[in-house]
Amino acid sequence: MWTSRGPRHHLWLWLCVCVWLCIHAVPIAVDKTKIDPPADKLDPPESTDTGLHYDRYLREVIDFLEKDPHFREKLHNTDMDSIKEGKLAKELDFVSHHVRTKLDELKRQEVNRLRTLIKAKQDMEGGKGMTVDYEALLRQFEHLNHMNPHTFEVEDLDRLIKSATSDLENYDKSRHEDFKQYEMRKEHDRREHLKTLDDETRRKEEEHYEEMRKKHADHPKVNHPGSQDQLKEVWEETDGLDPEDFDPKTFFSLHDTNGDGFFDEQELEALFTKELEKMYDPNQEEDDMIEMEEERLRMREHVMNEVDTNKDRLVSLQEFMTATKRKEFLDTDPWETLEQGQMYTEEEMREFEEHLAREESDLNHKSVELQRQREELEKQQQQLNAQKEELQQAMEHMDKLKQQNQPDEAASEVKVHLMPGGEGVMPASLPGDSQALPAGHQQGTPLHS
């Protein structure tokens, strides 16, 4: 990426940062301050997954547009609202020819990829007798103009920016909902398991469950994310520095691992590792690592909401220094962890279980129907086998009759001759009969003249 950063290109910065964001872990930061390669060297970018289904397409389009000097200059002089309104997308008409050619190629590849995936999905659902949701399939194309599958136009860039903006804004919300579903499913499975146990075993299981809950909740104080106490702890335990010498500006420089002058989401999440280690140990039965990642996400969102004043999903040095001067920075109250809050209500749990019951009922109904169809097919197969056996027996019977009729057919071919006056007949010599007729008796000649 370019190294000069203007204050008004927040959305684009945000999109680029999301390209490097790894959703499920804190990866090693990559130095993004290197000089861009020459414009004619259009190699695909290497970066982590955003989690979007069009992730690679998004990353490659961003990478190639960054290589165009005109587009990069316009980007620095365009404010966030103009980007959202599509004004930046119109600058695509002025990018260099080789970039446009590469974007055309990328779009054709993306359209072919989507067509292949959608065809596979249709075949899969159709083969299972499922109804194909065509509206959901068409939504796969929302980030590009599929009516023109050959060239990358202004509308394509406009759609890509708007789709990525909307999808990434809702990504955390979607993850929270997925986590809630995970927790409710875990509780549902626990309750269902208890129903299968006798009273004594159930009592022991409940006691063990409560023991694990208390053991997990029994951890050291968790500092408020982004507070002075939390950052000082990182300063001391991770950086190995004297807490009395804590300096916010120095701290920022130490943990801006790529040196770009911003804390992005992954750099922020890395700051919470010490707090998370107080609550979660992968070797302990009571600690759920999926819950740990949800806790990390909550901490990062909290800091972003408090510090990221321009809502570009980045924390600049100026925003960070301003936050350290607020009274909230001195907050010594402990962080309210997941187990202290209520992740779902009993009403939500009831609705979830009703949904599972409906799904189970539908599956049972389909299973019964499939079993009926299987039995019908087996019955038809038995009938076909019986008909085949009858036909084979009939053919064998006809073969026997044919063999039995062969001597009669041979006899019917014997030639006979009438006696004089019609008084009798004399058979002609049979094939192979070597006995000669008496003298004067030639075959076919009357005995008396």
Side-chain angles (χ1 to χ4, degrees), residues 20 37 40 60 69 73 105 124 147 153 231 243 248 263 291 341 350 363 369 400 404 411 418 424 449:
W20 295 302
D40 58 346
E60 291 183 339
E73 179 183 355
E105 179 185 342
M124 185 181 300
M147 300 302 293
E153 305 296 342
L231 299 184
F263 274 166
E291 292 179 356
R350 183 185 64 79
L363 288 174
E369 178 62 20
K400 289 180 181 179
Q404 291 173 359
L418 289 174
S449 57

Side-chain angles (χ1 to χ4, degrees), residues 253-425:
S253 298
L254 286 172
H255 295 277
D256 174 20
T257 53
N258 57 17
D260 64 356
F262 294 85
F263 274 166
D264 58 35
E265 294 180 345
Q266 71 186 65
E267 288 168 336
L268 277 177
E269 290 182 2
L271 300 179
F272 311 137
T273 300
K274 285 296 179 182
E275 302 303 318
L276 294 169
E277 288 176 350
K278 297 176 182 178
M279 299 178 282
Y280 296 95
D281 182 345
N283 299 315
Q284 297 301 322
E285 176 188 355
E286 68 273 10
D287 297 334
D288 186 334
M289 294 301 104
I290 293 179
E291 292 179 356
M292 183 185 75
E293 290 307 314
E294 174 68 10
E295 194 75 79
R296 189 192 303 273
L297 172 61
R298 291 176 67 240
M299 290 179 171
R300 186 252 294 165
E301 284 186 324
H302 171 76
V303 173
M304 281 293 189
N305 289 333
E306 294 290 323
V307 183
D308 179 24
T309 55
N310 60 14
K311 304 305 176 186
D312 64 352
R313 297 175 75 96
L314 294 168
V315 175
S316 67
L317 174 59
Q318 181 180 352
E319 287 174 326
F320 180 76
M321 295 302 296
T322 300
T324 61
K325 295 177 174 61
R326 299 188 191 126
K327 63 177 182 179
E328 291 82 7
F329 184 65
L330 303 177
D331 188 0
T332 58
D333 293 335
W335 171 251
E336 184 178 302
T337 55
L338 281 172
E339 73 272 5
Q340 294 175 292
Q342 188 175 15
M343 285 172 277
Y344 54 84
T345 65
E346 278 302 318
E347 176 65 18
E348 288 175 322
M349 186 66 190
R350 183 185 64 79
E351 292 176 355
F352 178 75
E353 291 187 319
E354 289 176 354
H355 173 71
L356 288 181
R358 287 193 298 270
E359 282 189 338
E360 185 176 0
S361 176
D362 290 343
L363 288 174
N364 290 336
H365 176 75
K366 290 179 180 179
S367 177
V368 170
E369 178 62 20
L370 287 173
Q371 181 63 28
R372 185 193 67 76
Q373 293 177 5
R374 178 180 177 180
E375 292 174 355
E376 181 65 24
L377 289 173
E378 289 177 348
K379 182 178 178 181
Q380 292 177 5
Q381 185 64 45
Q382 291 174 357
Q383 293 175 349
L384 289 173
N385 290 339
Q387 292 175 2
K388 181 179 178 181
E389 185 176 353
E390 290 176 0
L391 180 61
Q392 186 174 0
Q393 290 176 353
M395 293 180 66
E396 291 175 353
H397 180 66
M398 291 182 67
D399 289 341
K400 289 180 181 179
L401 290 176
K402 186 176 181 180
Q403 293 174 1
Q404 291 173 359
N405 290 335
Q406 283 180 353
D408 296 337
E409 293 173 357
S412 67
E413 293 177 356
V414 175
K415 296 181 180 180
V416 298
H417 304 276
L418 289 174
M419 298 296 289
E423 297 177 355
V425 295

Side-chain angles (χ1 to χ4, degrees), residues 87-99:
K87 293 180 180 179
L88 179 65
K90 295 178 181 178
E91 297 298 327
L92 181 68
D93 288 333
F94 303 101
V95 302
S96 58
H97 174 72
H98 64 275
V99 171

